[in-house]
Amino acid sequence: MSDQQNNTFFQTLFDFSFSGFISIDLIRVLYMVSILMAGIAVVAGIIAAFSNGISYGIGAILLAPVLFLVYVLFSRVLFEVFIVIFKIA
C-alpha cells in the first residue's frame, strides 16, 4: 500500500499539499445521512398521514416503502456520479 492510502481522515484533511482526497469518505458519510433522513421522513410522513385519518395512514404505509426506495436509489445514483467526477479529475 502506498503512503497516501495509509493516511487517516484527519491527516488527509489537514494536508496542505492536497496529495490525498477526502471526497469519497465524505460522500460515504453523506450517503448514510441521506438514508437516515429518508427513514425519518418516512416515519414522520406515516405519522402525519394517520393524523389526517385512518385511510390516509394505510395509504401512507403502502406508499412509504416505495418512496423510500426511490429516494435511496436517486441519492445513490447522484453520489455515484459525484465519485465518478472526482475520479475523472
Side-chain angles (χ1 to χ4, degrees):
M1 293 181 109
S2 69
D3 187 41
Q4 182 181 8
Q5 293 173 347
N6 291 332
N7 288 342
T8 65
F9 175 77
F10 289 107
Q11 287 173 334
T12 307
L13 182 64
F14 294 108
D15 176 25
F16 293 107
S17 66
F18 289 94
S19 61
F21 297 100
I22 62 167
S23 305
I24 294 176
D25 292 333
L26 188 61
I27 285 176
R28 289 180 188 140
V29 172
L30 290 175
Y31 181 59
M32 286 187 264
V33 169
S34 71
I35 290 175
L36 178 67
M37 295 304 290
I40 292 171
V42 163
V43 171
I46 291 172
I47 291 171
F50 270 113
S51 69
N52 289 331
I54 190 86
S55 62
Y56 288 112
I58 292 172
I61 287 175
L62 296 174
L63 189 61
V66 174
L67 293 176
F68 176 80
L69 289 175
V70 167
Y71 177 79
V72 170
L73 176 70
F74 281 132
S75 65
R76 176 68 187 213
V77 169
L78 178 69
F79 288 129
E80 285 180 2
V81 167
F82 289 155
I83 288 174
V84 167
I85 290 171
F86 288 134
K87 287 189 177 187
I88 287 173

